[in-house]
Amino acid sequence: MSVEITAHNPETVVEPDWQPPMPPTDLIFDDGEPLETNRHRIAINVLIRSLQQAWSRRNDFYTGGNMFIYYSSEQVRNKDFRGPDFFVVLDVDGTKERLGWVVWLEGGRYPDVIVEFMSASTAKIDKGIKKDIYQRVFRTPDYFVFDPFEPNSLQGWHLHSSQGYQPLVPNERGWLWCESLGFWLGTWSGTIDRETAVWLRFYDSEGNLVLLPEEAEHQKAEAERQKAEQAQMLAEAERQKAEAERQKAEQAQMLAEAERQKAEAERQRAEQAQMLAEAERQRAEQAQMLAEAERQRAELLAERLRALGLDPDI
């Protein structure tokens, strides 16, 4: 604040409060420079899309790729563009549309995670000037570099408050732990967007691959297919069980019918035997009656002969 004293007016005149110059608004968000290769483009999208898939129910983060990050007016004047290949900022409004990341419009927030996809022409800068800026200016906690054409090129650093970036030690699979995201970064061999390569991918704390949206959909569809197939197999098993029960019941019914028929045959045989016995008894009785009749007739004849004076026994 400045003060001006005049001869005509002994009062002190105070100029309006001084305001610092406003940050520039004419920012460039596209320098027209293409990515190194199509594989670099795919590699960036793989990390962006898989993280968005993993955190699809969250809106408290922003992830971008190949976007400018503006952090000072001097940087703008010098056209010193910094566009990390992949970055993540946590605890911000993830639903907001952005052409780039302008630090003074984001509450002074810098990326929490940065990944640079190197090439032969950028490796020195990525592990030199950029790494130094991300450490000193951005204070980005986790920084990684990877060359999509060199499967064994993954390197990473975690920021310590007093010692700066310290190299991350890979696990037995060669993966590096990203503390900010709670994911591993490691390689995965396969085909994405019709290009077969060794890709940098996220893995969860259990070692499971963090899927891309289409992979998640395929996995979901496969799970549904297996579920439907299992349900069909269970239904078929139930049908076969019911059929076996039906056949068992039918067989039991046939056995019962056979037993009934056997019993009926036994009854008929017994009844026939009884009838035969009764016929024999009746024949015997009839024979006895005939014999008795013959005896009575012979006795009557003998009496008549005796009455005539004749000996019936001669």
Side-chain angles (χ1 to χ4, degrees), residues 110-131:
Y110 287 88
D112 293 281
V113 179
I114 290 177
V115 177
E116 294 287 5
F117 288 101
M118 303 182 297
S119 66
S121 62
T122 66
K124 185 175 181 180
I125 295 174
D126 291 334
K127 291 190 286 186
I129 296 173
K130 283 190 174 183
K131 179 170 171 280

Side-chain angles (χ1 to χ4, degrees), residues 60-241:
D60 62 344
F61 73 99
Y62 181 79
T63 179
N66 196 36
M67 293 172 59
F68 291 152
I69 294 181
Y70 286 103
Y71 57 92
S72 73
S73 299
E74 181 181 358
Q75 172 208 10
V76 177
R77 286 195 300 271
N78 295 336
K79 296 185 177 180
D80 184 17
F81 306 124
R82 294 295 165 196
D85 291 329
F86 169 82
F87 69 94
V88 184
V89 188
L90 302 175
D91 301 317
V92 295
D93 181 5
T95 64
K96 180 181 175 182
E97 289 290 335
R98 297 169 172 90
L99 295 175
W101 189 265
V102 185
V103 170
W104 56 85
L105 298 179
E106 303 286 354
R109 293 299 311 279
Y110 287 88
D112 293 281
V113 179
I114 290 177
V115 177
E116 294 287 5
F117 288 101
M118 303 182 297
S119 66
S121 62
T122 66
K124 185 175 181 180
I125 295 174
D126 291 334
K127 291 190 286 186
I129 296 173
K130 283 190 174 183
K131 179 170 171 280
D132 184 60
I133 291 175
Y134 299 156
Q135 174 183 263
R136 289 187 306 100
V137 182
F138 287 21
R139 304 296 293 172
T140 295
D142 292 296
Y143 177 49
F144 302 87
V145 294
F146 179 72
D147 186 337
F149 291 90
E150 293 292 338
N152 298 318
S153 62
L154 178 62
Q155 291 179 266
W157 297 266
H158 183 71
L159 185 66
H160 291 262
S161 57
S162 60
Q163 300 176 346
Y165 275 145
Q166 296 298 306
L168 292 170
V169 178
N171 67 2
E172 65 280 0
R173 298 181 179 181
W175 300 352
L176 300 178
W177 180 249
C178 180
E179 186 174 317
S180 300
L181 301 181
F183 288 136
W184 292 97
L185 270 169
T187 54
W188 174 86
S189 299
T191 302
I192 301 176
D193 289 350
R194 296 181 296 179
E195 183 155 353
T196 302
V198 176
W199 305 100
L200 188 63
R201 301 289 299 267
F202 289 120
Y203 295 86
D204 65 20
S205 58
E206 301 298 322
N208 301 306
L209 181 68
V210 175
L211 302 178
L212 292 163
E214 60 270 24
E215 291 172 333
E217 284 298 319
H218 175 75
Q219 187 182 74
K220 181 180 177 182
E222 179 63 19
E224 291 294 330
R225 186 193 65 78
Q226 290 180 359
K227 183 179 177 181
E229 190 173 284
Q230 187 175 15
Q232 187 176 4
M233 289 173 65
L234 287 172
E236 177 63 18
E238 288 296 323
R239 188 195 67 77
Q240 290 180 359
K241 181 181 177 182

Side-chain angles (χ1 to χ4, degrees), residues 235-273:
E236 177 63 18
E238 288 296 323
R239 188 195 67 77
Q240 290 180 359
K241 181 181 177 182
E243 177 64 18
E245 291 294 330
R246 186 193 66 77
Q247 291 179 359
K248 183 179 178 181
E250 188 175 287
Q251 188 175 13
Q253 187 177 3
M254 290 172 65
L255 289 172
E257 177 63 19
E259 289 296 323
R260 188 194 66 77
Q261 290 178 1
K262 180 180 177 182
E264 177 64 19
E266 291 293 332
R267 187 192 66 77
Q268 289 178 1
R269 279 199 298 272
E271 187 175 288
Q272 189 175 14

Side-chain angles (χ1 to χ4, degrees), residues 287-298:
Q288 187 177 5
M289 289 174 66
L290 287 172
E292 180 62 21
E294 284 295 326
R295 185 189 67 77
Q296 290 178 1
R297 189 165 65 85

